[in-house]
Amino acid sequence: MTAPDALPPCSILLLAGGRGQRMGGRDKGLIEWRGEPLIQHLHRLTRPLTDDLIISCNRNREQYARFADQLVQDDESDFPGPYAGIRAGLAVARHAYLLVMPCDSPLLDVGLLEGLRRMALAHPGKPVMVRQGEQWEPLLCCIPAVHAPVFEAHWQQGQRSPRRTMTDLGAVPFQCPAQDPRLANLNTPDLLIDVRP
């Protein structure tokens, strides 16, 4: 397996800017799971992989700041969705690739993230999206930062689906098995209790 330091540098974006509707409006990234905020689990995983760790957050910026090199936020106040966070992350990314993941997936592992990065290197200029079985997971992806203007243009045209923009850019899949436990999305209170590694 390729060591992390053998891969070229990448920026990493943790998406923590949502409304948290399924969590009763609570800020998902700061909800505790196994004694720590969800964002801390992702920070521990990603911190060794980058010197450009970006968090997209629209609330509690002072709490998120200690986990990030950069914070970004949506330029609209009505929680316009993850596209806004990805667009903001691409605009400030310091490296050629932006690795994106949601803050409510604490069971992700280094092998999966490195696999995404290697797939991106094998398909220059193409975004890579995780596909779990037949289901695309567009919020777990690796995007060449050169596409920041495309994301911005699509945003201005009213696009709000990251998957559609990446598909337009010729996205390739990083295939994972159906029900891959690493991709568990802890986005309801019940799942925070019930998920086991």
Side-chain angles (χ1 to χ4, degrees):
M1 181 177 283
T2 306
D5 59 1
L7 289 165
C10 74
S11 299
I12 293 180
L13 173 66
L14 306 180
L15 294 169
R19 195 189 303 268
Q21 285 178 300
R22 283 175 284 189
M23 288 292 187
R26 295 164 68 196
D27 191 335
K28 266 194 299 192
L30 299 178
I31 292 175
E32 286 205 356
W33 181 67
R34 297 184 177 172
E36 297 176 328
L38 284 170
I39 198 70
Q40 191 164 336
H41 292 275
L42 272 296
H43 176 267
R44 185 167 45 251
L45 172 67
T46 57
R47 178 74 282 174
L49 304 178
T50 187
D51 62 357
D52 187 26
L53 184 53
I54 308 163
I55 296 178
S56 169
C57 58
N58 292 312
R59 298 179 277 176
N60 302 305
R61 291 174 62 83
E62 67 289 342
Q63 293 180 60
Y64 282 112
R66 65 191 179 100
F67 297 110
D69 298 309
Q70 303 188 69
L71 296 177
V72 294
Q73 67 184 50
D74 303 338
D75 56 11
E76 298 179 10
S77 59
D78 61 345
F79 297 94
Y83 197 111
I86 294 172
R87 164 186 172 242
L90 282 168
V92 302
R94 296 173 183 154
H95 297 301
Y97 288 92
L98 180 68
L99 185 61
V100 180
M101 65 204 74
C103 71
D104 55 4
S105 298
L107 299 178
L108 294 172
D109 65 16
V110 170
L112 190 151
L113 300 184
E114 287 184 8
L116 266 172
R117 294 172 67 189
R118 285 194 298 271
M119 181 72 77
L121 289 174
H123 296 84
K126 305 286 188 185
V128 177
M129 278 189 282
V130 164
R131 189 167 65 189
Q132 182 176 198
E134 295 302 312
Q135 175 72 38
W136 289 94
E137 303 288 349
L139 303 188
L140 190 51
C141 60
C142 190
I143 306 170
V146 69
H147 293 315
V150 177
F151 274 78
E152 179 63 28
H154 283 202
W155 174 267
Q156 297 300 333
Q157 294 160 14
Q159 180 59 270
R160 297 298 182 264
S161 166
R163 177 182 167 181
R164 286 181 189 164
T165 293
M166 286 188 275
T167 298
D168 287 351
L169 290 167
V172 296
F174 179 74
Q175 191 66 50
C176 293
Q179 308 303 319
D180 189 327
R182 299 173 298 175
L183 302 176
N185 201 239
L186 309 189
N187 56 17
T188 68
D190 288 348
L191 288 174
L192 282 169
I193 295 167
D194 294 339
V195 155
R196 297 290 180 269

